[in-house]
């Protein structure tokens, strides 16, 4: 059973690494849309990593945190899209 938990934590670490790589696009994105998509990718990878850690440690409360974080990530995307449309940034 220890190997399974170690594998889950290793996969979670890989998703955290992918999120860090996506944050580079947030910093260096040529357009605002690229930055927003990169923030969504980083947020989604973070939710997956939290879920894998919850499975590895068998803590269901981490799943609640992951769910709230996923909802906030989604609402951020909607809020930015609404702001961008009202500002006239849609081509």
């Amino acid at each position: 059973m220890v190997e399974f938990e170690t594998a889950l934590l290793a996969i979670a670490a890989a998703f955290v690494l992918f999120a860090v790589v996506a944050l580079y696009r947030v910093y260096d994105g040529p357009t605002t849309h690229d930055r927003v998509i990169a923030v969504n990718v980083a947020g989604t990878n973070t939710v997956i990593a939290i879920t894998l850690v919850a499975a590895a440690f068998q803590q269901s409360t981490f799943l609640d945190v992951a769910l709230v974080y996923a909802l906030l990530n989604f609402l951020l995307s909607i809020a930015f899209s609404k702001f961008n449309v009202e500002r006239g940034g849609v081509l």
Side-chain angles (χ1 to χ4, degrees):
M1 194 57 123
V2 174
E3 297 87 15
F4 183 68
E5 293 168 357
T6 305
L8 286 176
L9 291 175
I11 295 169
F15 275 104
V16 169
L17 180 66
F18 295 152
V20 169
V21 170
L23 288 178
Y24 173 74
R25 180 55 59 192
V26 173
Y27 174 73
D28 194 38
T31 66
T32 306
H33 298 293
D34 291 331
R35 289 185 171 109
V36 170
I37 291 171
V39 167
N40 281 331
V41 168
T44 302
N45 285 338
T46 304
V47 169
I48 293 170
I50 292 171
T51 305
L52 289 169
V53 169
F57 292 135
Q58 298 176 352
Q59 294 289 324
S60 62
T61 54
F62 288 171
L63 294 177
D64 296 335
V65 172
L67 182 63
V68 169
Y69 192 77
L71 289 172
L72 288 174
N73 191 27
F74 175 71
L75 289 176
L76 173 75
S77 300
I78 297 299
F80 175 76
S81 297
K82 183 172 174 41
F83 172 74
N84 202 23
V85 166
E86 288 176 358
R87 208 177 98 212
V90 177
L91 297 175

